[in-house]
Amino acid sequence: MAVVVVTDSAAGLSADLVADLGIEVVPLHVLVGDRQIREGVEPVEIDYSADSVTTSAASPGELREVYERAMARSGGDGVVAVHLSRRLSATWEAGRQAVQDMGGEDQVRLVDSLGAGLATGLPVLAAARRARAGQALDVVYECAVSAAARARTFILVNRTEQLRKGGRLSSAAAFFGSELVSKPLLQLVEGKLELREKVRTRSRAYSKLVAAAVEAAGDGGATLGIQHLGAPEVAETIAAQVREQAREVAELHVVEFGPTLGVHLGVGALGVVVLPGECR
């Protein structure tokens, strides 16, 4: 058998990649009024501007169920579970509780991706490819940890109010983002969203986003992820510019933010994740 990689639905991976690499995905929850909807499992139409829409993490019980299924699939080779940043969601902590309840600390390894969206998804892909190649649990785990540490994430949002309300961004950063500039450029630093730069115009913001991605890509052949919410044409333009300006792009993914991230980022959000180099 082989090590099985688990993640959550916020990772932003396509169904084809998940199926091809045998990745197990735990649904997170979108709360719309009195309805609780499992992301990626049940259809959902969302008014992203509504205050009544929010999100919640997977429960320890839900995570344990998936971890146990993954362990059975692995034939005892083990599980590596890569989840979105513990500073952005309670999912990682719920996973820790699930592993404790299982008594499976040796065979189920948890990884804090220090990010969300493809900042989780790209480390998951790196680990899953190691697992498919037949690498041992320690190797797959270290690959995921290394990829999470190397990934760089830059996010452009129209407003920061939703992030501030959800506690994902400090009040000071939200003020500078929403009141003084039209396009706040954010970055993930050690799993927490911070204001990177104050940008006044849309065109300048796009240029800054591309420049940050190109600089982070470096010379070694980076994997890139471009995410958006309701802005496919802009995302494709950003992807083309990064590909043209970066020295070497090994792989490029362009996807839409799922509901659990879209609720907090808002329509028009753009994100670029850069994963330089490969797991050694």
Side-chain angles (χ1 to χ4, degrees):
M1 305 297 284
V3 173
V4 174
V5 177
V6 176
T7 191
D8 50 71
S9 58
L13 297 176
S14 71
D16 288 345
L17 278 173
V18 166
D20 180 53
L21 292 168
I23 299 165
E24 293 276 358
V25 180
V26 182
L28 304 185
H29 302 278
V30 182
L31 309 179
V32 183
D34 59 355
R35 296 175 61 205
Q36 181 168 276
I37 300 164
R38 293 176 297 167
E39 182 179 43
V41 177
E42 300 158 310
V44 55
E45 293 185 5
I46 294 176
D47 176 1
Y48 286 104
S49 64
D51 290 337
S52 60
V53 181
T54 187
T55 62
S56 68
S59 69
E62 290 171 312
L63 289 157
R64 178 174 179 172
E65 179 181 350
V66 176
Y67 294 166
E68 289 179 338
R69 182 169 68 240
M71 179 62 73
R73 280 186 50 212
S74 80
D77 284 348
V79 173
V80 173
V82 186
H83 293 298
L84 73 167
S85 168
R86 74 182 82 178
R87 300 184 71 179
L88 299 175
S89 168
T91 300
W92 186 93
E93 181 59 31
R96 186 190 64 79
Q97 183 62 56
V99 173
Q100 284 187 343
D101 292 345
M102 291 170 62
E105 289 87 348
D106 292 336
Q107 288 300 103
V108 181
R109 308 285 181 86
L110 284 183
V111 178
D112 182 345
S113 72
L114 306 176
L118 286 176
T120 302
L122 296 188
V124 168
L125 289 182
R129 285 165 176 162
R130 283 286 191 273
R132 185 171 63 176
Q135 297 292 328
L137 179 61
D138 286 346
V139 174
V140 177
Y141 170 75
E142 291 298 338
C143 176
V145 171
S146 171
R150 297 197 315 275
R152 297 292 178 266
T153 303
F154 311 99
I155 301 173
L156 193 60
V157 296
N158 289 319
R159 296 183 61 193
T160 59
E161 183 64 15
Q162 288 156 297
L163 289 168
R164 185 191 63 77
K165 284 182 178 179
R168 273 78 179 180
L169 189 67
S170 71
S171 296
F175 175 79
F176 286 119
S178 61
E179 301 295 334
L180 300 183
V181 298
S182 59
K183 289 291 181 181
L185 182 59
L186 310 175
Q187 62 183 354
L188 276 166
V189 178
E190 296 182 351
K192 182 72 173 177
L193 272 173
E194 296 183 356
L195 181 66
R196 175 182 173 89
E197 195 165 352
K198 298 178 287 184
V199 187
R200 291 190 177 277
T201 67
R202 184 183 299 268
S203 60
R204 184 65 172 162
Y206 293 156
S207 296
K208 291 284 188 180
L209 184 63
V210 171
V214 170
E215 180 182 8
D219 299 321
T223 299
L224 300 176
I226 314 294
Q227 289 186 271
H228 69 92
L229 186 63
E233 294 181 359
V234 176
E236 291 291 350
T237 298
I238 296 296
Q241 291 177 354
V242 174
R243 182 184 285 279
E244 179 182 352
Q245 296 180 35
R247 295 177 182 86
E248 184 181 353
V249 176
E251 190 175 346
L252 177 63
H253 303 267
V254 181
V255 301
E256 190 161 23
F257 285 115
T260 55
L261 296 183
V263 165
H264 301 288
L265 296 173
V267 174
L270 290 166
V272 179
V273 180
V274 181
L275 180 56
E278 297 181 354
C279 296
R280 302 300 180 188

